[in-house]
Amino acid sequence: QVQLVESGGGLVQAGGSLRLSCAASGRTFSSYAMGWFRQGPGKEREFVAAVSGSGSMTDYADSVKGRFTISRDNAKNTVHLQMNSLKPEDTAVYYCAAGRNFPQFLRIDILGYDYWGQGTQVTVSS
């Protein structure tokens, strides 16, 4: 069982930056792939970024490539999402998720993740 708690959301102007953090419980954090997903108003939850258990592999949604960076610190059981050049369309509730770690690829679908945090709101004003 893994418990996840997100933090770092808030209100920011377009072009600004935010850094989201996700703290995980448990002793086997490095055995999980970690992902960030988001759900905007009236939209379905969508993939944002993922990182492998070791941190050697990352993947991003096309909409955030070049602007967002996912990273993890296995010694501190945390994963971060650095978000730069934010746009109003990035407004959403952002969720941290943990799932099975595969050696050759990262899951980018919701079903690939078993544990979810409660979410943190990010609002980007124009």
Side-chain angles (χ1 to χ4, degrees):
Q1 189 79 6
V2 178
Q3 293 184 328
L4 304 171
V5 179
E6 302 98 334
S7 61
L11 174 64
V12 64
Q13 288 187 332
S17 298
L18 279 176
R19 187 185 192 223
L20 304 184
S21 296
C22 174
S25 65
R27 301 179 181 179
T28 59
F29 178 69
S30 62
S31 69
Y32 291 94
M34 299 298 296
W36 285 97
F37 291 76
R38 67 186 182 187
Q39 188 164 13
K43 298 181 180 180
E44 294 185 352
R45 193 170 298 189
E46 64 177 4
F47 169 75
V48 175
V51 60
S52 61
S54 67
S56 61
M57 282 195 297
T58 58
D59 198 3
Y60 298 90
D62 288 343
S63 59
V64 307
K65 279 181 181 176
R67 300 189 298 123
F68 291 10
T69 302
I70 189 170
S71 62
R72 66 189 296 159
D73 184 338
N74 286 342
K76 296 182 179 179
N77 281 16
T78 57
V79 62
H80 302 287
L81 185 68
Q82 178 66 44
M83 304 186 295
N84 299 327
S85 302
L86 283 161
K87 305 175 181 180
E89 51 263 43
D90 294 319
T91 294
V93 177
Y94 282 71
Y95 298 91
C96 173
R100 181 180 173 184
N101 188 58
F102 294 92
Q104 301 296 332
F105 63 93
L106 288 166
R107 296 285 295 266
I108 64 171
D109 57 309
I110 292 173
L111 294 179
Y113 293 83
D114 302 306
Y115 304 100
W116 293 81
Q118 81 288 350
T120 185
Q121 176 70 46
V122 171
T123 303
V124 184
S125 63
S126 56

